[in-house]
């Protein structure tokens, strides 16, 4: 309550300050859930209350920012969480100095990747000091900070990383335009160093260094990027150096109507952090966000082609794979094959979107995902999902109709899930959606008991625009649950049956 | 109970903020997908700015930008700078430009992988759109997208910048 009082006081102060030249703005997201715990009988409901208020004040080159968060579950759920983050920043080109909670990524993240994924409820923050200096076509970043990882899984928020670790890092990036006459040619270089000190570790020389760099070359519409990262860590307890490295290469072609992007990754002990979190979240080429072990032992590629030969049609093809290494294969085989004894994911996507008329959009697609060793104890799972979606805009109203059919084949059981959805909406007013999903059968040898024995998941959702800056979402019904992933981080979501209310505001 | 009251109180405080209230737009300097520096002050010299926050994973954001595509030339003739701010994280950066080009978007695609701009403009829902007049004031804010919302955006821009009412935005 003391913290709540402080935030209310802050709000009052902010209100008073509005009279001066200070610009005050903010955002708020409040969520309230009531749901049935499947382990209890249907009369035992749980609650979940989450509040996130962001306030920001700008005065000339100074920005002050505060984020107040609390999560208050039912008494039946152990623990609650609340925090107040603040940031003070002075920014006047070419210098920026920040103190407080911040997020930053060096390059594409092989050495340091502290990010906030609000949509996935994954908060990888640093608390400390960060300074940026810009000069010519270059930028130097120096930072120090204490990491913290707040993660939401199985309907519970938890602090995954609350160690005594200290991160210090430096990143230097420069860009050299070679030609801007007929074809734009630009090269870029970067070098970086990150040191993680583990205060609580009794091992002699208990620190980890991550260092590396990247080279980029752009020739007109063709872009290339190569990043290398190396880890020098400490062997737990016994001491001595633990070495790891990672490569990332991307190339892409972008011309009007055609986009091609290709990616190659190879990680050997580059992922560094603790159980369930990483300080450097290495990139996964899988679009659905799955990784195998987050930079410990991974090799893979991703290829995506998107073409719009005509304005009324767009085609997308994607083939992505990630797996553990296999010493018995050469590197090319390792890259393209997903043998039975490898853990990994192969993802294939084909999608066509067409506009038969100005008011209508039809999307037809198929997604096929093979997962090995990802959803343990299931060793192999193959999901094939054809789907169709139609949107028609009547002017004052629109409708959206969709159907998807997911064939699932796992170690010992085959079944399918199918879902139909219908939405009716009015611009700037509301969207009413109804979705019904059904499973053909519950396999007798169900390997993941957490998934429950539910076979149907009806859902109704109303999204109401209260004003242009305030939206209320009410969802009533059931959600299937399962493994969901974003950026290489996965969590298991329990099946949900209840009501969700979400109020989002900007001011 | 105290917390529930607090949760209800916060939106109430701000629920009735004036829709037409004019707020100063925070300044920013970021890079577009071609490596060019994009600065709000420089853009406003040429004309007003429309910007929409989007991401590769956000279907509605893509629908919004696709729906506004046929009006690009009209906006361009009105002197409006059209920005599509990608909030995709560093890991998705290589896919942004090929995606935007394949959709034949002519918007200036700005990268915001560290959520600098998203934080400055307090973006809570995707997509979110803003119109900034040449006095550096946010004269229009819109959260989310539903098919048909683009008509409201287009009408607003015509009202603001064709009928000579760009001083107040009211």
């Amino acid at each position: 309550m003391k913290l709540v009082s402080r935030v209310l006081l802050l709000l009052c102060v902010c209100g008073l300050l509005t009279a001066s030249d200070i610009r005050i703005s903010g955002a708020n997201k409040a969520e309230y859930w009531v749901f049935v715990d499947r382990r209890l009988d249907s009369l035992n409901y749980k609650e979940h209350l989450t509040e996130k208020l962001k306030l920001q004040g700008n005065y000339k080159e100074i920005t002050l920012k505060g984020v107040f968060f609390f999560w208050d579950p039912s008494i039946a759920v152990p623990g609650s969480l609340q925090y107040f983050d603040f940031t003070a920043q002075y920014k006047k080109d070419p210098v920026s100095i920040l103190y407080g909670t911040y997020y930053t990524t060096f390059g594409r993240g092989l050495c340091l990747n502290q990010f906030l994924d609000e949509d996935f409820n994954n908060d990888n923050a640093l608390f400390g000091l960060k300074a940026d200096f810009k000069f010519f076509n270059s930028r130097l970043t120096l930072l120090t900070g204490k990491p913290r990882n707040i993660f939401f899984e199985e309907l519970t928020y938890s602090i995954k990383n609350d160690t005594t670790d200290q991160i210090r890092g430096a990143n230097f990036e420069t860009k050299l335009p070679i030609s801007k006459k007929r074809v734009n040619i630009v090269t870029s270089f970067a070098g970086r160093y990150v040191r993680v000190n583990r205060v609580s570790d009794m091992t002699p020389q208990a620190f980890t260094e991550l260092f590396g760099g990247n080279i980029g070359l752009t020739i007109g519409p063709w872009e290339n990027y190569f990043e290398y990262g190396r880890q020098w860590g400490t062997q737990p307890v016994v001491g001595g150096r633990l070495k790891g490295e990672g490569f990332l290469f991307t190339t892409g072609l972008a011309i009007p109507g055609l986009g091609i992007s290709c990616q190659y990754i190879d990680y050997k002990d580059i992922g560094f952090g603790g159980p369930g979190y990483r300080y450097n979240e290495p990139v996964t080429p899988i679009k659905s966000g799955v990784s195998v072990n987050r930079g410990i032992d991974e090799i893979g590629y991703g290829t995506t082609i998107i073409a719009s030969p005509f304005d009324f049609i767009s085609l997308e093809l994607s083939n992505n794979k990630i797996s553990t290494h296999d010493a018995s294969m050469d590197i090319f085989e390792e890259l393209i094959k997903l043998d039975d004894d490898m853990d990994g994911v192969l993802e294939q996507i084909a999608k066509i979107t067409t506009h038969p008329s100005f008011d209508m959009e039809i999307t037809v697609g198929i997604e096929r995902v093979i997962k090995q060793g990802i959803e343990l104890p299931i060793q192999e799972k193959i999901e094939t999902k054809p789907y169709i979606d139609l949107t028609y805009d009547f002017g004052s109203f629109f409708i959206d109709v969709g159907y998807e059919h997911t064939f699932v084949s796992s170690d010992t059981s085959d079944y399918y899930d199918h879902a139909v959805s219908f939405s009716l909406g009015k611009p700037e007013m509301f969207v009413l959606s109804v979705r019904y999903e059904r499973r053909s059968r519950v396999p007798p040898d169900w390997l993941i008991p957490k998934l429950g024995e539910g076979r149907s998941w009806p859902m109704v959702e109303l999204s109401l625009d209260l004003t242009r800056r305030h939206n209320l979402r009410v969802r009533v019904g059931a959600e299937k649950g399962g493994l969901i992933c974003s950026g290489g981080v996965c969590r298991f979501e329990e099946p949900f049956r209840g009501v969700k209310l979400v109020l989002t505001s900007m001011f | 109970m105290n917390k529930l009251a607090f949760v209800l109180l916060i939106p109430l405080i701000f629920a009735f903020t004036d829709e037409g209230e004019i707020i100063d737009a925070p300044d920013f300097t970021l890079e577009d997908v071609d490596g060019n520096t994009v600065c709000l002050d420089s853009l406003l010299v040429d004309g007003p700015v429309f910007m929409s926050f989007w991401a590769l994973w956000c279907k509605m954001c893509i629908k919004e930008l696709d729906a506004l595509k046929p009006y690009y030339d009209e906006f361009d003739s009105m002197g409006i700078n059209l920005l599509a701010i990608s909030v995709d994280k560093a890991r998705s950066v290589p896919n942004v430009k090929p995606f935007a080009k394949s959709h034949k978007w002519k918007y200036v695609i700005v990268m915001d992988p560290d959520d600098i701009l998203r934080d400055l403009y307090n973006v809570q829902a995707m997509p979110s759109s803003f119109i900034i007049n040449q006095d550096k004031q946010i004269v229009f804010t819109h959260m989310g997208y539903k098919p048909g919302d683009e008509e409201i955006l287009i009408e607003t821009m015509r009202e603001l910048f064709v009928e000579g009412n760009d001083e107040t935005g009211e």
Side-chain angles (χ1 to χ4, degrees):
Chain A
M1 187 55 201
K2 203 176 170 186
L3 197 59
V4 172
S5 309
R6 260 187 246 167
V7 175
L8 283 171
L9 183 68
L10 182 71
L11 280 172
C12 297
V13 172
C14 289
L16 291 171
L17 289 173
T18 316
S20 72
D21 287 342
I22 297 174
R23 177 188 181 272
I24 304 286
S25 62
N28 189 71
K29 189 175 183 184
E31 285 190 49
Y32 179 67
W33 303 357
V34 186
F35 58 98
V36 177
D37 187 335
R38 66 179 179 83
R39 287 161 294 218
L40 305 172
D41 65 54
S42 61
L43 293 173
N44 287 283
Y45 292 98
K46 277 186 180 175
E47 287 177 302
H48 168 111
L49 179 68
T50 314
E51 162 67 25
K52 193 170 194 176
L53 171 68
K54 297 179 187 176
L55 281 174
Q56 186 168 281
N58 300 78
Y59 178 71
K60 293 183 179 172
E61 286 82 26
I62 296 167
T63 302
L64 294 172
K65 203 168 70 179
V67 177
F68 170 68
F69 174 91
F70 76 70
W71 168 62
D72 195 23
S74 306
I75 301 166
V77 180
S80 63
L81 181 69
Q82 61 181 38
Y83 64 81
F84 179 67
D85 284 346
F86 69 91
T87 309
Q89 186 179 21
Y90 170 83
K91 190 176 181 183
K92 187 174 186 183
D93 277 345
V95 177
S96 162
I97 297 170
L98 178 151
Y99 177 72
T101 302
Y102 63 93
Y103 305 89
T104 196
T105 301
F106 286 172
R108 300 268 160 87
L110 287 191
C111 293
L112 184 70
N113 192 1
Q114 292 291 113
F115 62 96
L116 171 67
D117 191 341
E118 282 201 298
D119 308 290
F120 192 65
N121 285 328
N122 186 12
D123 186 340
N124 268 301
L126 283 171
F127 179 82
L129 194 64
K130 182 182 169 217
D132 286 285
F133 307 95
K134 288 181 190 169
F135 45 96
F136 304 110
N137 285 320
S138 308
R139 188 168 81 162
L140 173 68
T141 304
L142 301 170
L143 62 85
T144 176
K146 184 182 179 304
R148 178 198 67 191
N149 180 215
I150 296 174
F151 193 59
F152 181 74
E153 64 183 336
E154 300 195 16
L155 305 172
T156 305
Y157 281 95
S158 59
I159 299 180
K160 283 237 172 189
N161 174 22
D162 195 17
T163 59
T164 53
D165 290 0
Q166 282 287 339
I167 292 181
R168 285 161 202 166
N171 186 53
F172 176 73
E173 296 173 348
T174 190
K175 201 179 286 178
L176 301 172
I178 295 173
S179 161
K180 280 205 167 185
K181 287 180 182 171
R182 294 183 67 184
V183 180
N184 187 29
I185 303 175
V186 182
T187 58
S188 59
F189 302 92
R192 56 194 59 106
Y193 174 79
V194 176
R195 177 171 165 142
V196 185
N197 285 352
R198 295 208 137 163
V199 177
S200 62
D201 196 333
M202 299 306 289
T203 309
Q205 283 194 315
F207 63 88
T208 298
E209 292 165 298
L210 292 137
F211 55 92
N214 60 264
I215 302 170
L217 174 66
T218 302
I219 305 170
W222 183 38
E223 284 191 355
N224 302 280
Y225 178 90
F226 174 79
E227 183 168 327
Y228 174 75
R230 190 163 178 83
Q231 188 204 150
W232 282 356
T234 310
Q235 298 271 18
V237 186
V238 293
R241 281 299 197 196
L242 183 74
K243 293 180 181 175
E245 62 180 359
F247 303 91
L248 166 70
F249 174 68
T250 63
T251 183
L253 179 75
I255 54 174
L258 178 69
I260 300 172
S261 58
C262 303
Q263 194 172 47
Y264 162 72
I265 59 121
D266 190 350
Y267 308 139
K268 287 170 188 158
D269 292 318
I270 185 73
F272 177 67
Y277 66 90
R278 295 278 183 272
Y279 297 135
N280 57 339
E281 201 67 67
V283 174
T284 173
I286 304 297
K287 287 201 168 206
S288 51
V290 192
S291 68
V292 182
N293 46 41
R294 296 166 74 180
I296 303 299
D297 172 23
E298 293 176 319
I299 184 167
Y301 69 90
T303 311
T304 300
I305 301 170
I306 309 171
S308 303
F310 307 102
D311 282 344
F312 63 88
I313 195 161
S314 170
L315 312 162
E316 182 177 337
L317 294 170
S318 195
N319 190 59
N320 313 307
K321 183 238 156 189
I322 189 168
S323 70
T324 49
H325 289 88
D326 186 335
S328 65
M329 295 179 180
D330 63 47
I331 191 163
F332 184 70
E333 278 185 314
E334 259 187 333
L335 183 66
I336 60 163
K337 278 190 176 175
L338 182 61
D339 272 4
D340 290 344
D341 55 348
M342 295 162 107
D343 288 344
V345 183
L346 176 66
E347 177 188 67
Q348 291 159 324
I349 300 167
K351 192 169 88 175
I352 299 173
T353 303
T354 177
H355 298 265
S357 69
F358 187 74
D359 306 324
M360 189 188 286
E361 182 184 286
I362 300 171
T363 303
V364 181
I366 184 162
E367 291 175 13
R368 184 169 180 265
V369 183
I370 301 172
K371 292 177 189 164
Q372 286 180 191
I374 302 294
E375 290 186 39
L376 293 172
I378 297 173
Q379 187 51 40
E380 187 185 61
K381 187 177 182 184
I382 303 169
E383 292 172 304
T384 309
K385 183 173 80 175
Y387 60 93
I388 182 163
D389 188 77
L390 181 146
T391 307
Y392 189 78
D393 184 1
F394 292 94
S396 52
F397 287 93
F398 75 91
I399 57 161
D400 186 281
V401 184
Y403 178 75
E404 61 184 51
H405 197 107
T406 310
F407 298 94
V408 183
S409 169
S410 66
D411 295 345
T412 52
S413 55
D414 295 338
Y415 59 93
Y416 62 83
D417 291 344
H418 52 160
V420 61
S421 61
F422 175 81
S423 299
L424 172 73
K426 186 171 169 60
E428 285 227 320
M429 291 216 39
F430 72 90
V431 182
L432 178 67
S433 307
V434 180
R435 181 184 163 93
Y436 182 74
E437 185 162 10
R438 193 170 166 78
R439 178 163 288 159
S440 61
R441 67 189 182 95
V442 178
D445 45 1
W446 201 225
L447 289 171
I448 302 181
K450 279 182 192 172
L451 284 170
E453 295 195 345
R455 282 188 56 204
S456 63
W457 299 276
M459 166 74 70
V460 180
E461 184 179 284
L462 177 68
S463 171
L464 204 59
D465 289 343
L466 303 174
T467 73
R468 279 181 185 155
R469 297 177 189 169
H470 305 272
N471 176 273
L472 175 68
R473 214 150 37 88
V474 183
R475 183 180 278 197
V476 183
E479 291 171 33
K480 186 169 69 174
L483 190 77
I484 60 159
C485 304
S486 173
V489 186
C490 293
R491 71 157 176 261
F492 186 85
E493 270 199 1
E494 287 196 22
F496 179 91
R497 194 152 56 94
V499 180
K500 285 183 181 177
L501 289 137
V502 184
L503 179 63
T504 312
S505 310
M506 277 165 73
F507 40 86
Chain B
M1 192 59 202
N2 286 332
K3 286 179 176 171
L4 185 59
F6 178 80
V7 168
L8 293 170
L9 184 67
I10 296 295
L12 271 177
I13 292 172
F14 300 103
F16 304 105
T17 48
D18 181 8
E19 281 284 295
E21 187 188 356
I22 293 169
I23 306 167
D24 289 339
D27 200 7
F28 61 84
T29 305
L30 286 171
E31 275 195 1
D32 70 9
V33 285
D34 295 317
N36 303 311
T37 302
V38 178
C39 171
L40 181 62
D41 283 336
S42 318
L43 291 170
L44 291 174
V45 172
D46 299 333
V49 170
F50 164 79
M51 55 186 199
S52 178
F53 286 81
W54 72 287
L56 288 168
W57 50 262
C58 170
K59 283 182 188 172
M60 282 302 165
C61 307
I62 293 159
K63 280 193 177 189
E64 182 188 46
L65 292 169
D66 274 340
L68 288 170
K69 195 166 65 174
Y71 301 94
Y72 184 90
D73 291 336
E74 185 187 340
F75 295 150
D76 197 36
S77 68
M78 289 155 69
I80 301 170
N81 299 286
L82 297 165
L83 267 60
I85 319 286
S86 164
V87 297
D88 288 289
K89 301 291 172 206
R91 59 178 181 258
S92 304
V93 165
N95 299 323
V96 171
K97 189 175 172 184
F99 184 89
K101 286 281 183 187
S102 70
H103 277 241
K104 298 178 184 170
W105 291 348
K106 294 180 188 170
Y107 316 108
V108 177
I109 310 291
V110 177
M111 303 302 304
D112 185 26
D114 292 330
D115 289 342
I116 295 167
L117 209 53
R118 189 178 178 176
D119 268 4
L120 273 176
Y121 284 80
N122 296 301
V123 172
Q124 273 294 305
M126 299 287 288
S128 284
S129 312
F130 300 86
I131 300 174
I132 303 165
N133 70 10
Q134 284 184 279
D135 294 329
K136 210 174 169 182
Q137 294 165 327
I138 300 171
V139 291
F140 179 88
T141 306
H142 191 265
M143 266 198 324
Y145 172 76
K146 301 173 195 61
D149 277 355
E150 70 276 9
E151 298 294 337
I152 292 147
L153 272 169
I154 292 154
E155 279 310 307
T156 307
M157 285 206 255
R158 283 175 185 154
E159 276 173 28
L160 287 171
F161 306 120
V162 175
E163 293 166 16
N165 199 16
D166 57 337
E167 286 306 306
T168 62
E170 290 170 331

